[in-house]
Amino acid sequence: MTLDLLAIESFLCDLAVNEVGPIIKSKSGTQQNYDLKTGSRAVDLFTAIDKQVESLIWKTLREKYPDFRFVGEESYVKGETVITDEPTFIVDPIDGTTNFVHDFPFSCTSLGLTIKKEPVVGVIYNPHLNLLISASKGNGVRFNSVSFDHRSKIDSMGPLILNKSVVALQPGSAREGTNFQTKMDTYQNLLSCDGGFVHGFRNLGSSAMTMAYIALGYLDSYWDGGCYSWDVCAGWCIIKETGGKIVGANPSEWQIQVDNHSYLVVRGTSDPNRDDQDQYIRDFWSNVKGNLHYE
């Protein structure tokens, strides 16, 4: 089966901008009744609007692509939901729900498609900033529906070097246990003058927005654990189309799947034939203290 990935990308863009975006923008900051997904010692929030938006997305996609599979954050069942080789939409209706609850303008919808478990279409839309970034395999990247010259942006950023980079870090929702300690210890290593000594770190509170900003050339890398496929699927495709790399958060995890649950995302470089990215990854991994592990 040969699919027109560009047409699917266009359909997802229309869905994000015209159907999903207005709901996110109008309801942001209005949802003071929310639930905790993962217990009293974590802060992963979800609201009725998350479920409403996912239902809208699923209904629309099922009508247009009835033979495709669907994986969504709000319909995910641990131990039952799996990603197969079949064409599969992987969707986060509202990525950055905590931002959404607090009306911080970094919530977005993230719509991805995998074929044979590879992300091949990605659409991320933040209606607060009117920021739409999309890509499909082999077709490059579009920023607000206009082709994005990622090569010129990358060239302007200079060499990719750990101690000259700005890194995206997110503590996540779970605030206890070995994974949380690994994150805190690794942050200290990255920031320390005796460690990675990065220029700084940023927390956007949204994996999808973070990956969009790496693709647009605003950040150099992103290290995180506790994410799910819907957090990274759309961004994965976009990052790959800009020459970026995605590996595991733990040292030596060079080959991972979209549902790996921990990731290191690195921007593209001026010369893809050089070892800049791999050396950056090795340097980054040398600052990881501990091992992230998620069931």
Side-chain angles (χ1 to χ4, degrees):
M1 176 175 57
T2 301
L3 297 175
D4 186 342
L5 298 181
L6 196 59
I8 296 173
E9 177 191 338
S10 178
F11 183 82
L12 293 180
C13 285
D14 288 342
L15 173 60
V17 172
N18 297 318
E19 301 294 334
V20 178
I23 298 174
I24 294 176
K25 188 172 183 178
S26 66
K27 297 297 184 180
S28 179
T30 69
Q31 304 300 297
Q32 295 310 310
N33 293 319
Y34 50 80
D35 294 310
L36 295 173
K37 292 181 186 177
T38 44
S40 62
R41 298 179 70 82
V43 291
D44 200 4
L45 311 181
F46 74 100
T47 72
I49 305 301
D50 291 85
K51 295 181 180 179
Q52 175 189 334
V53 172
E54 182 167 308
S55 295
L56 169 65
I57 293 170
W58 178 215
K59 178 177 181 295
T60 305
L61 293 179
R62 185 169 50 191
E63 290 174 354
K64 180 70 173 179
Y65 302 101
D67 297 328
F68 287 20
R69 291 175 174 266
F70 183 90
V71 173
E73 178 177 16
E74 305 312 322
S75 56
Y76 170 81
V77 178
K78 186 175 181 179
E80 296 182 18
T81 303
V82 295
I83 300 170
T84 70
D85 287 342
E86 297 300 312
T88 304
F89 288 112
I90 301 181
V91 166
D92 193 341
I94 305 177
D95 189 51
T97 303
T98 301
N99 291 343
F100 174 74
V101 166
H102 290 276
D103 203 22
F104 185 69
F106 276 82
S107 57
C108 62
T109 192
S110 179
L111 312 176
L113 174 71
T114 61
I115 298 177
K116 295 183 178 179
K117 302 178 183 177
E118 176 191 4
V120 294
V121 178
V123 171
I124 296 169
Y125 181 55
N126 180 332
H128 315 286
L129 307 180
N130 193 29
L131 185 154
L132 173 69
I133 184 166
S134 65
S136 50
K137 185 179 180 179
N139 295 314
V141 176
R142 277 144 293 284
F143 180 37
N144 287 347
S145 302
V146 176
S147 292
F148 175 60
D149 183 6
H150 68 276
R151 181 57 56 198
S152 294
K153 178 60 178 177
I154 288 171
D155 289 344
S156 73
M157 297 176 74
L160 179 63
I161 301 171
L162 185 62
N163 65 9
K164 294 183 178 179
S165 63
V166 175
V167 179
L169 303 171
Q170 295 179 179
S173 60
R175 304 293 169 81
E176 63 175 341
T178 56
N179 286 328
F180 182 64
Q181 191 60 54
T182 292
K183 285 189 173 186
M184 295 300 103
D185 291 344
T186 298
Y187 295 175
Q188 180 171 322
N189 282 352
L190 288 168
L191 291 167
S192 170
C193 61
D194 297 319
F197 203 26
V198 299
H199 276 178
F201 75 91
R202 304 291 181 263
N203 175 16
L204 301 185
S206 161
S207 297
M209 280 300 302
T210 297
M211 295 175 81
Y213 270 33
I214 291 175
L216 292 171
Y218 301 141
L219 295 166
D220 294 292
S221 62
Y222 169 41
W223 183 83
D224 200 3
C227 314
Y228 285 82
S229 58
W230 50 80
D231 294 309
V232 302
C233 182
W236 186 302
C237 176
I238 295 166
I239 289 289
K240 296 289 282 188
E241 285 297 301
T242 59
K245 265 194 171 182
I246 302 168
V247 296
N250 298 312
S252 300
E253 293 180 344
W254 289 102
Q255 301 293 329
I256 63 169
Q257 299 294 317
V258 70
D259 57 353
N260 192 64
H261 297 310
S262 61
Y263 311 85
L264 171 58
V265 182
V266 178
R267 70 167 172 87
T269 59
S270 295
D271 186 350
N273 295 317
R274 289 167 51 188
D275 191 39
D276 295 19
Q277 285 176 316
D278 288 354
Q279 185 59 54
Y280 183 96
I281 291 167
R282 286 189 289 266
D283 290 342
F284 197 109
W285 277 339
S286 72
N287 286 275
V288 175
K289 186 173 182 181
N291 188 281
L292 294 177
H293 178 72
Y294 298 87
E295 296 294 337

